[in-house]
Amino acid sequence: MSDPALGTVAPGEPEVRARSAEPRSIWLWPLLPIGIAAIFVGTMVLNDVTAEIRVTLVLAGIVGGYFGLDALCQRRWGSGFDTSAWLSGFWLTLVGLSAITVAWLPLPESKLVKNALAETPRLRPDLFSEHPLGTNIQALDMLGGVMWGARTSLIISLGAVAIGLLIGGVIGITAGYFRGPLDSGVGILADSMLAFPPLILLVAMATVFTQNQWTMALELSLLGIPTYIRLARANTLTFAQREFVLAAKAMGSGDRRVIFRELMPNVALPMVSYAFLVTAVLIVAEASLSFLGVGIQPPEPTWGNMIEAGQESYQDHPHLVFVPGIVMFMTVFALNRVGDKARERWDPREAQL
């Protein structure tokens, strides 16, 4: 028998549970227009109130709007629809397009101070003005800055992930397939690299090498290589005992053919799904180095050095910190969310949980 108070339903009564759940979720849909109105009022109307009130109102509008949108989406496409994953994918697409097209967009000056002498510094965000996200203390456009920062962060993090995926994947697959002393030596190497404090390692390399996008990608790849070694090795050990690998060996296939034709295509999917999470970590690492002053230097905008430049005026002009900070937070959150969905789909170990 079912117990509505406890929310339990007998095996023969799934329809009753589905019908009773729908009215509770659909009543949340009015939060969507309310949330949009709160965001509009907080950003466009309340220009004379304190920044704390405006930020609180905008954040409340975002949260309320999300629950309202989630209720509508689940009403339309079913309770299995993952609104946060789709919104995360949309945000990552928007960030990627911004990074690709920023050099060709007619944006106000966001790099060179000498080209922004006629602009007003520290303008508040105004979505319908020439500077939708405001200007910084040097009158540079914040919208252009975060878009150039997205370009820098994606080039560095994706480059580091590609290097780590290639080197770490090859080493991990080789160690997991041949086992023996090679596997033991590779395990000690990976554990040693993971045991070294990453921030100290990055700061030390930053003081030795000239910092640009490509040298930073090489430096940050050292954080991903040991992780990919262990991930590739673990997945290789799993797939090496599968029937298709044993059948290939029984048919006389050599080690090279087994590795490249049988193991690598299957090991690649879990590693690529994990790349989203590694990219999120490396974006934070790159921003941390820029914030500390040992990463990419101005006039090249990055999310880290934009936050560092705005912290002195944070009390009076919080948008100087909030704008790049929120963009970075949303990007990292979206990468983690999409990465979780990719792991559920492509990682066989996650599928068994």
Side-chain angles (χ1 to χ4, degrees), residues 197-207 211 219-220 223 285 289 294:
L199 184 59
I200 296 177
L201 175 63
L202 293 175
V203 172
M205 289 189 296
T207 59
Q211 294 299 83
E219 294 166 7
L220 291 176
L223 301 183
L289 292 176
V294 293

Side-chain angles (χ1 to χ4, degrees), residues 267-282:
V267 174
L269 282 179
M271 295 180 66
V272 170
S273 66
Y274 196 74
F276 290 97
L277 307 181
V278 177
T279 302
V281 172
L282 296 184

Side-chain angles (χ1 to χ4, degrees), residues 175-260:
Y177 180 76
F178 290 105
R179 305 294 299 275
L182 176 63
D183 187 25
S184 301
V186 169
I188 294 174
L189 173 64
D191 292 340
S192 301
M193 295 177 69
L194 289 171
F196 200 89
L199 184 59
I200 296 177
L201 175 63
L202 293 175
V203 172
M205 289 189 296
T207 59
V208 175
F209 301 103
T210 302
Q211 294 299 83
N212 56 50
Q213 294 177 353
W214 303 113
T215 56
M216 285 202 68
L218 289 173
E219 294 166 7
L220 291 176
S221 67
L222 295 179
L223 301 183
I225 287 176
T227 301
Y228 275 119
I229 288 176
R230 300 184 67 177
L231 183 63
R233 176 186 176 275
N235 282 282
T236 300
L237 293 176
T238 300
F239 286 108
Q241 305 303 318
R242 297 286 181 88
E243 292 79 2
F244 62 91
V245 175
L246 299 178
K249 291 181 178 179
M251 295 175 63
S253 298
D255 293 334
R256 180 180 301 177
R257 180 181 177 85
V258 171
I259 290 175
F260 286 98

